[in-house]
Amino acid sequence: MNKGLVLGCMLLGLAACAPHTGGIMTSSTGEVRVDNGSFHSDVDVSGVTTQAEAGFLRARATVISKAATDLHLQYKFTWYDINGATVEDEGVSWKALKLHGKQQMQVTALSPNATAVRCELYVREAISN
């Protein structure tokens, strides 16, 4: 019985660390992941593009509302170096984004340092406290 309880706790702990956002992830390498099909029926994200800018990377993407009503969203860029490690991810917080019905809005970010070679954009429903 104790082994089952320990195993259950470990599985719950691992699930809490999963990289899922409950929304959409799209990367500068073209990868797209939808964690919530219902959310995706209201929101889409155009591909993330990057461009060199003074030794850093500038990322751009368009968040698209497919809903007729206002949407309160959050987005976050995560940057990676050539080895696939995150670049200064600790201080990056989710940013609020409000889209009116059928509105599109471009979001941008500048890499935190020159070691970044790619990024991922996460978009989710706003979490209210």
Side-chain angles (χ1 to χ4, degrees):
M1 167 124 166
N2 287 337
K3 287 182 182 179
L5 182 60
V6 170
L7 180 61
C9 289
M10 287 176 54
L11 289 174
L12 284 174
L14 289 175
C17 296
H20 301 291
T21 64
I24 301 168
M25 182 283 299
T26 185
S27 77
S28 59
T29 61
E31 179 186 1
V32 176
R33 185 182 71 229
V34 176
D35 295 328
N36 183 329
S38 175
F39 177 73
H40 188 248
S41 68
D42 288 336
V43 177
D44 202 359
V45 179
S46 71
V48 175
T49 60
T50 57
Q51 179 179 352
E53 184 176 301
F56 295 88
L57 284 181
R58 167 77 60 190
R60 289 183 174 79
T62 303
V63 182
I64 304 160
S65 169
K66 297 189 269 182
T69 58
D70 289 352
L71 296 173
H72 297 273
L73 308 173
Q74 294 177 319
Y75 72 94
K76 174 178 158 176
F77 284 90
T78 300
W79 296 91
Y80 297 89
D81 67 15
I82 194 144
N83 298 315
T86 57
V87 177
E88 296 183 29
D89 193 39
E90 294 296 319
V92 179
S93 61
W94 290 90
K95 294 179 176 67
L97 175 65
K98 180 179 179 181
L99 292 179
H100 301 290
K102 307 291 183 179
Q103 183 181 11
Q104 298 182 17
M105 189 169 294
Q106 188 178 71
V107 294
T108 66
L110 189 64
S111 64
N113 63 43
T115 64
V117 296
R118 69 179 185 88
C119 67
E120 295 176 347
L121 170 63
Y122 298 88
V123 180
R124 68 182 184 188
E125 283 187 276
I127 297 172
S128 59
N129 295 337

